[in-house]
Amino acid sequence: MAQAVQKNTLYVGGLAEEVNESILHAAFIPFGDIKDVKTPLDQATQKHRSFGFVTFLEKEDASAAMDNMDGAELYGRVLTVNYALPERIKGGEQGWAAQPIWADADTWFERQQQEEEMQRIQAENRATMQAAEELHRKKVAQEREGEKEDEVDTKDDPMAKAEAEALRQNS
């Protein structure tokens, strides 16, 4: 599985022991504004591990720095400069993840809330539709009752009987 590169963070390998974060910053500042410079330390020796990371504010500046500094010499050592891969943390697929498991907790809760809200709205819509259908059934039933009453009224009403008889004779 290929990991996405971070287009504004550069990996700088092959650093001489004398190089620190301020020297690395000074070497890369001509290419643009720098957001961050890191040189991870070896826990045993408390010295950097011959590499560092330079994060630029703009992707274009990082690209220019990579183009110009890859293969360049700093303190007598040839630098290797590439786009940095995201930091890998134990867990996730294939034993590694690009971020801790709790990193997406907020978005997970937001999705859960949105899903619950959607279910609530759908339930309200179903209840409203059922109420509307019930109201329609009652109205149709009342109209049918009214038609039956009209038929009954013509049987009891002598005038209505005479009109109905005249209509039948004319047809």
Side-chain angles (χ1 to χ4, degrees), residues 152-168:
V152 170
D153 288 347
T154 57
K155 290 179 185 173
D156 294 340
D157 184 11
M159 191 64 157
K161 280 184 183 178
E163 286 177 2
E165 187 66 34
L167 284 173
R168 271 190 235 122

Side-chain angles (χ1 to χ4, degrees), residues 32-150:
D33 293 330
I34 294 176
K35 180 179 177 183
D36 192 26
V37 176
K38 293 279 187 225
T39 53
L41 298 179
D42 183 333
Q43 296 301 319
T45 64
Q46 290 301 307
K47 294 181 181 179
H48 68 71
R49 297 160 44 192
S50 300
F51 68 89
F53 298 97
V54 178
T55 303
F56 285 88
L57 292 176
E58 301 293 330
K59 294 176 185 178
E60 296 79 17
D61 296 341
S63 177
M66 185 176 68
D67 292 343
N68 287 285
M69 294 297 285
D70 187 37
E73 196 173 304
L74 183 64
Y75 280 72
R77 303 269 308 262
V78 176
L79 300 179
T80 301
V81 182
N82 294 309
Y83 287 122
L85 295 176
E87 185 178 348
R88 297 190 320 169
I89 299 170
K90 282 191 172 190
E93 293 179 10
Q94 302 176 359
W96 296 96
Q99 60 185 359
I101 194 163
W102 59 86
D104 70 344
D106 290 338
T107 57
W108 182 85
F109 283 117
E110 287 174 14
R111 285 192 310 268
Q112 289 298 109
Q113 288 176 333
Q114 289 171 350
E115 192 173 312
E116 289 171 6
E117 180 68 12
M118 190 63 127
Q119 289 173 351
R120 185 187 64 75
I121 290 170
Q122 288 173 343
E124 285 178 6
N125 287 345
R126 279 193 298 274
T128 303
M129 289 298 288
Q130 288 173 346
E133 288 174 4
E134 186 62 31
L135 187 63
H136 179 71
R137 280 191 212 106
K138 286 180 180 176
K139 187 175 179 181
V140 169
Q142 286 175 347
E143 287 174 356
R144 288 184 184 153
E145 288 288 322
E147 289 173 4
K148 288 180 183 176
E149 287 175 8
D150 288 347

